[in-house]
């Protein structure tokens, strides 16, 4: 990797929209840190992106946990020497009626879709302040 190469973390990038974002950023010359909650799927995505010639590291973990975001940022710095872009993409959907939703499930939905954005901003901002 050269000092010119940009580095991106993309949460929820083991599949779907996040995977597409990771692939496009790879084509745009970024080194990638991909993430997903399922370790096997996350590693598979990383392997497939690496097979396309993109520098990539995989970090599985739950974005509802602040420590996951800190690990994503640390991996970017450790593996690629820097962090330039942080894409807060991960999210989950509630299937069914909110009337039937448990408070625990609702809290998990909120933590994944809302709290995780704040955690990502904080983790990335801490790195940019260094």
């Amino acid at each position: 990797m050269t000092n010119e190469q940009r580095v991106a973390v993309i949460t929820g990038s083991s599949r779907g929209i996040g995977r597409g974002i990771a692939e496009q950023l790879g084509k745009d010359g970024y080194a990638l840190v991909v993430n997903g909650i399922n370790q096997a799927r996350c590693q598979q995505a990383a392997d497939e992106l690496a097979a396309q010639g993109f520098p990539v590291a995989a970090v599985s973990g739950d974005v509802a946990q602040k420590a996951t975001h800190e690990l994503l940022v640390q991996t970017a710095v450790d593996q690629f020497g820097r962090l330039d872009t942080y894409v807060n993409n991960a999210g989950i959907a509630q299937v069914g009626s909110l009337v039937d939703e448990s408070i625990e499930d609702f809290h998990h939905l909120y933590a994944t879709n809302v709290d995780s954005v704040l955690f990502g901003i904080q983790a990335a901002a801490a790195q940019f302040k260094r």
Side-chain angles (χ1 to χ4, degrees), residues 67-100:
T68 298
H69 296 273
E70 292 166 350
L71 180 59
L72 287 163
V73 169
Q74 192 61 53
T75 299
V77 172
D78 290 349
Q79 295 283 322
F80 304 113
R82 61 193 278 173
L83 173 66
D84 299 284
T85 302
Y86 198 98
V87 180
N88 271 309
N89 168 75
I92 58 175
Q94 182 269 342
V95 179
S97 171
L98 280 175
V99 173
D100 300 324

Side-chain angles (χ1 to χ4, degrees), residues 42 53 65:
C42 184
Q65 305 299 316

Side-chain angles (χ1 to χ4, degrees), residues 7-79:
V7 179
V9 168
I10 310 96
T11 67
S13 51
S14 63
R15 61 187 179 139
I17 294 169
R19 172 65 186 274
I21 293 168
E23 189 166 337
Q24 185 59 55
L25 287 171
K27 290 176 182 176
D28 291 343
Y30 280 79
L32 310 167
V33 179
V34 297
N35 160 259
I37 197 164
N38 179 290
Q39 184 175 10
R41 191 179 304 138
C42 184
Q43 188 59 55
Q44 179 181 357
D47 292 344
E48 291 171 359
L49 290 163
Q52 294 180 57
F54 307 139
V56 61
V59 177
S60 62
D62 185 353
V63 295
Q65 305 299 316
K66 187 173 186 176
T68 298
H69 296 273
E70 292 166 350
L71 180 59
L72 287 163
V73 169
Q74 192 61 53
T75 299
V77 172
D78 290 349
Q79 295 283 322

Side-chain angles (χ1 to χ4, degrees), residues 102-118:
S102 72
I103 192 67
E104 293 80 17
D105 287 344
F106 185 79
H107 284 171
H108 181 66
L109 178 83
Y110 189 88
T112 301
N113 294 341
V114 179
D115 294 346
S116 70
V117 174
L118 176 63

